[in-house]
Amino acid sequence: MWKELTTAINNFNIDADWIGLRVVKETTNMYYVRDALPQTNGKSLTMGAMIEVMVNGCLGYSATNSLDIHSLQNAAEIAYKQALAASKFWIYPFTENQRPKIVGEYNSPFLETLESISAGEINDLLIKICQHLKLNDKIIQTTARITTNHKETWFVSSNGSEIYQRILAIGNHFGAIAQDGKITQQRTNNGQEANYYQGGLELIKPDKLWHQVEKVGEQVLELLTAEECPDISTNLVLAPDQMMLQIHESIGHPLEIDRILGDERNYAGGSFVKLEDFGKLQYGSSLMNITFDPTIEGEFASYGFDDNGIKATREYIIKDGILQRGLGSVDSQKRAGIPGVSCARACSWNRPPIDRMANLNLEPGTANFDDIIAGIEHGIYMESNRSWSIDDQRYKFQFGCEYAKLIENGKLTKTLRNPNYRATTPQFWHSLIEVGNDASWEMYGTPYCGKGEPNQAIFVGHGSPVCVFANVEVFGGG
């Protein structure tokens, strides 16, 4: 592959200042079972190339699903013409300094290849999960899903970059819906498809799997007779699987530099954060430490290099509550004049890279879970996202969870159903009063973060410990 790509890029007949060629090959397998009956056994394979050129300070892109030299040359000419036309109207001129020569390789860790068991064996596992979920007839639906992904990327440039990345990823999701008269409840393993990681088939065969399945079945029945969540302002304790979405929506998206610059305003919205806030805005309490870290082994959005070929590094986005840097690639950093991260990412070969969060994590504190609960006279503990709503500036939000427990005099007591909470982003993060330690830190991932025109759904990962927020408005309702 290297020889063919290097030959192609060295022989492109265009007068560009810089050329990048990114080839992506991706295979996805999807298995889905409902009520112990297989519904989907699908496999998709996609492969193609994206060519990026820099001309007179402007960038142009063109993609092709054919890797022969004629198709690549044609795509390069289209990208060149786009960049040349845009150079008459550029807003900010780029230079080759934004695309340094990088040589390297990244491979996901794994123990078992994604092909080490058959589709039939995976279906048998999903059927067994559904059967174990259906504890009685009040459970009216059970579902189980496994998705595997194998992605290879080759990147070469006219100034000598050669980068290879191989990512193996797998996710599982299962859940149950129970009904008793007019009351309907759902319970899943950690909410909205959060169990996605890098690795092999060993990730869907953990020792605790059947304990998790049994717990989901028991809790969905428990919710049928639970009290409704009260309407109250109180201490809110969020489990890591709900913190995943909280971090994603109220930290990740508002700190994307292209949104702040206005690039995403037409589709995904803008941000309440301003460029002048970086380096001085007190985003939350002093307990708040957020890192961008694509280097964590096994987290869903780990990589060695972004799709501009920039090496991935761990960086503090927020430190001691103060906003440090944005989620912006080298191009956005240059335009905005603020520090960013290596986060230019594309969902496939036929999309140009844009600013995307990757692994965005809340660093652990020092408190253990039992002590956190013991220190709360009154509060509510919530797990697993069920619904969310946030405005296009990422300022006002409300989230719903699947499962909750009342906290009374330092103990978890009654189960509560239909728990929700609302706040504004600054108010919420300033109310952070306790951060759990390493023992409560968990990481999750999702493949469904959408952004860009045309849309790009991309992998993201989030890790967090249990957290406590003071005087949050909590309310009930399905």
Side-chain angles (χ1 to χ4, degrees), residues 159-174:
N159 60 341
S161 290
E162 285 191 8
I163 298 170
Y164 172 75
Q165 302 196 84
R166 182 190 186 203
I167 292 176
L168 301 180
I170 190 165
N172 75 84
H173 179 75
F174 54 84

Side-chain angles (χ1 to χ4, degrees), residues 94-112:
F94 298 112
T95 70
E96 196 176 313
N97 292 332
Q98 272 82 55
R99 301 292 186 273
K101 175 183 176 180
I102 301 287
V103 176
E105 184 171 321
Y106 170 84
N107 290 277
S108 294
F110 69 94
L111 298 178
E112 299 181 42

Side-chain angles (χ1 to χ4, degrees), residues 188-403:
T188 64
N189 62 327
N190 307 115
Q192 301 283 340
E193 303 222 16
N195 288 277
Y196 284 78
Y197 304 93
Q198 285 190 26
L201 285 173
E202 71 276 1
L203 295 177
I204 63 169
K205 298 187 288 186
D207 294 336
K208 62 181 181 179
L209 172 63
W210 299 110
H211 170 72
Q212 291 174 328
V213 172
E214 181 180 359
K215 183 178 178 181
V216 166
E218 290 173 348
Q219 288 186 345
V220 75
L221 293 173
E222 182 185 345
L223 287 167
L224 292 177
T225 56
E227 292 184 11
E228 191 82 5
C229 179
D231 298 351
I232 190 172
S233 291
T234 189
N235 294 299
L236 174 64
V237 183
L238 294 182
D241 61 359
Q242 174 59 22
M243 285 298 298
M244 169 189 169
L245 188 77
Q246 187 68 59
I247 292 167
H248 183 91
E249 299 291 354
S250 66
I251 299 175
H253 281 309
L255 296 186
E256 292 162 339
I257 297 178
D258 60 350
R259 294 178 71 113
I260 297 170
L261 290 169
D263 296 2
E264 282 289 314
R265 217 167 277 167
N266 186 54
Y267 173 65
S271 174
F272 72 93
V273 178
K274 300 177 177 61
L275 293 179
E276 55 267 28
D277 291 334
F278 288 89
K280 58 185 179 182
L281 175 67
Q282 188 77 38
Y283 204 93
S285 82
S286 61
L287 299 176
M288 184 183 186
N289 291 286
I290 300 291
T291 55
F292 171 90
D293 194 356
T295 70
I296 294 181
E297 185 173 293
E299 196 164 358
F300 194 39
S302 290
Y303 50 85
F305 310 86
D306 74 6
D307 287 329
N308 281 341
I310 307 301
K311 185 173 176 59
T313 58
R314 179 179 186 268
E315 304 289 349
Y316 272 92
I317 302 300
I318 297 172
K319 188 169 178 60
D320 300 328
I322 299 175
L323 181 60
Q324 303 291 318
R325 59 178 65 220
L327 298 176
S329 65
V330 289
D331 296 344
S332 290
Q333 293 171 45
K334 201 70 176 176
R335 289 171 58 196
I338 60 173
V341 293
S342 49
C343 70
R345 304 176 63 207
C347 68
S348 187
W349 59 269
N350 58 359
R351 296 289 189 271
I354 57 177
D355 293 349
R356 304 303 296 264
M357 67 185 93
N359 296 333
L360 196 63
N361 302 325
L362 177 62
E363 296 298 304
T366 58
N368 69 57
F369 181 75
D370 290 340
D371 289 344
I372 285 175
I373 299 301
I376 297 174
E377 184 175 344
H378 187 278
I380 295 178
Y381 167 75
M382 297 188 190
E383 293 180 352
S384 308
N385 186 259
R386 181 189 61 188
S387 64
W388 68 94
S389 176
I390 190 164
D391 68 26
D392 63 359
Q393 295 299 301
R394 302 284 144 170
Y395 187 73
K396 295 180 180 178
F397 65 82
Q398 71 176 45
F399 296 144
C401 294
E402 292 180 354
Y403 186 84

